Amino acid sequence: SQTIHQWPATLVQPVGSPLSLECTVEGTSNPNLYWYRQAAGRGLQLLFYSVGIGQISSEVPQNLSASRPQDRQFILSSKKLLLSDSGFYLCAWSRSGQAVAQYFGPGTRLTVT
Amino acid sequence: GENVEQHPSTLSVQEGDSAVIKCTYSDSASNYFPWYKQELGKRPQLIIDIRSNVGEKKDQRIAVTLNKTAKHFSLHITETQPEDSAVYFCAANAGGTSYGKLTFGQGTILTVHP
């Protein structure tokens, strides 16, 4: 069966500091991968998606970036965090295709102080 | 792009009652409609989904109906229990894309009172 991991689970960072969140998927090959942000416990905003190694598409302009160095690894980064970057960051995976379910990781709760 | 509207934003019911959450979508090419349940502090979990080639799907106490002509779909929960209390999200895919992009509704906070 497939498993998705995220770390860290919680993170408190000062404004202006860098960020690196990691997501890995087990039990599947060539998944589509997604990064979402959820603010205030409501609404899921798609930030990035990837259909393959090195292939990243951005949905929302911001000071975040994403990378996919390996087939089942997805990384979310920032060079300088803003207060508005606080939120619950969720990674998700799906099989390739159009009408497919997405499965979410446990999430990282980021607080920027 | 796709726009998904979800109603109501909050819903309060007594244990044993039924609960209905409705969503409308804008992209007529959408053909996949999942529902997620998110408990406080946890990840969203897929509870049921429907594809556009069927009008209704049931799984024990939950069901989803789809009206393609009107572009709306609904989640029905019967015999609600306190553990059904959570935030529920509907979503619709972008039919014109080559990957499974989902657009989510804003969520419904369901509270089931014992």
Side-chain angles (χ1 to χ4, degrees), chain A residues 38 42 59 97-99 102 104, chain B residues 36 38 51 95 97 100-101 107:
Chain A
Q38 186 175 39
R42 301 287 297 273
E59 286 290 306
Q98 187 190 91
Q102 292 184 19
F104 287 87
Chain B
Y36 290 84
Q38 187 178 27
R51 289 174 173 78
T97 64
K101 176 181 176 179

Side-chain angles (χ1 to χ4, degrees), chain A residues 36-50:
Chain A
Y36 288 88
R37 177 167 58 202
Q38 186 175 39
R42 301 287 297 273
L44 292 155
Q45 180 186 35
L46 179 63
L47 301 175
F48 300 95
Y49 69 91
S50 172

